[in-house]
Amino acid sequence: DAAFDILPESATYNGITIATVSGLLRNNAQMTSVSIPTAVLKVSAKSMFEGCTNLQTVNMPLATFATTTNASYMFYGCANLQSIDMSATTFASVTNVDYMFENAGGLPDPDTSEKTFIWGDVFPSSVAEPTSASGMFKGSKFLEIDLDALDMSNVVDFDEGCANSIVRTFSMNAGDISAIANLNKAFKNCLYLNSNTTTFFDAETFA
């Protein structure tokens, strides 16, 4: 197992300052856990953990993405996720969450062990107001996806948002759903969801 403990802003990884580089830990198949306690990330969270196929634990309780606008592909392909602690992490400026959790593994609920994703639990301090969320959970392994605590009212695109996933329960504020312009194929090939089991969505989102 490989654990990476990255200290605040001045820390480097392979000689590169972590605070200023997009995709710094991308495709690190050996990494099983990472700790970035209080770093201030100044450029982008895009592809930060993309392709870290054995990553299980992410500990970033006080990390600040104060000026970061792009969190797309952040956990793309993290198939073995078990725990994410971003309990006081800020995403104040993030607008792009495209494919953020595409092909990502589920987070076991501590009570039921079922793999869930509840935005308010993972990012309780987030005030993100994304405008683009295409493929956000495409192909993911979450049985439950709950976005009630995320303001999606400014999202234009949620196309293929959960396509090809195994989600059984999906929740989003009804007002946010009506505001999204593009829900094309949002739940395409979701075996456990259809227009009869998920309210507020038109049949076209499942086609």
Side-chain angles (χ1 to χ4, degrees):
D1 291 355
F4 290 77
D5 191 357
I6 299 171
L7 298 174
E9 293 178 79
S10 59
T12 61
Y13 174 76
N14 286 351
I16 304 172
T17 303
I18 187 172
T20 59
V21 179
S22 173
L24 183 61
L25 302 172
R26 180 192 292 175
N27 296 327
N28 188 325
Q30 287 72 46
M31 182 170 62
T32 57
S33 66
V34 61
S35 178
I36 309 175
T38 58
V40 178
L41 289 98
K42 300 175 180 177
V43 177
S44 176
K46 180 180 179 179
S47 300
M48 188 170 186
F49 303 109
E50 179 183 341
C52 295
T53 53
N54 289 304
L55 180 62
Q56 298 178 21
T57 304
V58 177
N59 180 35
M60 300 174 65
L62 296 171
T64 300
F65 296 81
T67 59
T68 296
T69 60
N70 194 341
S72 63
Y73 298 94
M74 187 175 182
F75 293 97
Y76 177 94
C78 294
N80 288 294
L81 281 177
Q82 298 293 316
S83 173
I84 300 176
D85 181 0
M86 301 181 107
S87 51
T89 298
T90 59
F91 274 113
S93 301
V94 168
T95 57
N96 185 345
V97 293
D98 290 347
Y99 309 100
M100 189 175 184
F101 289 93
E102 182 175 0
N103 296 330
L107 303 172
D109 182 279
D111 297 321
T112 65
S113 294
E114 288 196 350
K115 295 184 175 183
T116 65
F117 182 90
I118 301 174
W119 184 275
D121 289 350
V122 179
F123 304 110
S125 297
S126 171
V127 292
E129 296 181 1
T131 57
S132 186
S134 295
M136 187 177 181
F137 295 97
K138 184 178 180 181
S140 67
K141 302 301 185 287
F142 304 111
L143 294 178
E144 176 186 358
I145 297 174
D146 182 338
L147 300 180
D148 286 347
L150 176 62
D151 185 349
M152 297 279 280
S153 61
N154 295 312
V155 169
V156 176
D157 293 310
F158 192 65
D159 53 306
E160 296 192 318
C162 296
N164 304 325
S165 71
I166 65 168
V167 62
R168 295 170 185 259
T169 305
F170 181 87
S171 179
M172 182 192 294
N173 288 319
D176 291 353
I177 295 169
S178 62
I180 297 174
N182 184 4
L183 285 162
N184 186 42
K185 302 178 181 177
F187 299 101
K188 183 180 181 181
N189 295 332
C190 291
L191 297 179
Y192 304 106
L193 287 182
N194 56 54
S195 55
N196 295 320
T197 59
T198 305
T199 57
F200 302 115
F201 291 97
D202 295 332
E204 288 75 12
T205 64
F206 299 89

